[in-house]
Amino acid sequence: MRLSLFDLAVMPGVLFLLASCSPGPQKEDLQHLPGYWEITEVVFPDGTDKEYKVSTTIEYLQWDGTSGYRKKMQPTLDGTYLTSDDALPMQVIWRDDRIFLKFKGTEDTWEEEILRIEAGKLIMRHGNGLKYIYQKYEPMKIEKDNV
């Protein structure tokens, strides 16, 4: 099959349009939001990134369908978590067919857009342009030997 110059010029544009029109997160995808999330990477606005091989804190997100909160947790070797009583109130906001999480701290309020969410992966972009990539956290439990 021989392609014309027109075909070669049009094909990349069509492929780009198809790729850019892929739907973002849907309402039913939010079922994956609650739980423990471990940060694996931060992508800066200039495209550089920082990978996190090990994280000493994880994010716990709780959402009941209307409201929720975000809490920093510190996993321990026995499968439990250390935490404070601080929790950031969280709202899910739909705007222009996109999903945002709105957080309210003691002195600041901000939003993070959910770019992708599925069973084991969460990608969010903060208003400052930082992109945070998370994976579901699986606790490492070390059992004591019966000696």
Side-chain angles (χ1 to χ4, degrees):
M1 178 176 167
R2 192 167 181 190
L3 297 174
S4 71
L5 186 57
F6 176 77
D7 293 332
L8 292 174
V10 171
M11 289 287 250
V14 170
L15 291 174
F16 174 76
L17 284 174
L18 289 174
S20 63
C21 292
S22 61
Q26 303 297 308
K27 186 173 185 172
E28 57 271 9
D29 295 330
L30 289 175
Q31 68 180 326
H32 304 297
L33 186 62
Y36 298 92
W37 293 94
E38 178 179 23
I39 192 163
T40 59
E41 184 179 4
V42 174
V43 180
F44 297 92
D46 66 2
T48 60
D49 66 338
K50 178 177 179 173
E51 288 188 31
Y52 291 84
K53 303 286 186 206
V54 177
S55 196
T56 58
T57 59
I58 56 173
E59 306 273 343
Y60 178 71
L61 297 175
Q62 178 58 43
W63 184 62
D64 64 10
T66 56
S67 63
Y69 61 89
R70 172 191 248 168
K71 194 171 184 93
K72 298 274 188 197
M73 310 288 278
Q74 192 172 16
T76 64
L77 294 176
D78 66 1
T80 60
Y81 301 93
L82 300 175
T83 186
S84 66
D85 290 332
D86 298 335
L88 287 172
M90 177 181 78
Q91 287 181 292
V92 174
I93 299 172
W94 293 86
R95 186 182 320 124
D96 302 325
D97 295 325
R98 300 184 306 172
I99 304 172
F100 294 85
L101 300 182
K102 183 176 183 178
F103 298 98
K104 182 165 177 51
T106 54
E107 297 179 18
D108 198 12
T109 299
W110 71 95
E111 293 181 356
E112 296 180 18
E113 180 182 0
I114 295 178
L115 301 175
R116 181 175 170 192
I117 184 168
E118 53 192 47
K121 189 166 194 163
L122 172 64
I123 302 175
M124 297 196 302
R125 182 175 42 229
H126 190 281
N128 62 13
L130 293 175
K131 190 185 321 181
Y132 296 96
I133 301 171
Y134 296 89
Q135 68 182 8
K136 273 286 190 178
Y137 176 74
E138 295 295 328
M140 179 177 67
K141 189 169 184 178
I142 298 176
E143 304 213 10
K144 297 177 183 176
D145 292 338
N146 293 331
V147 180

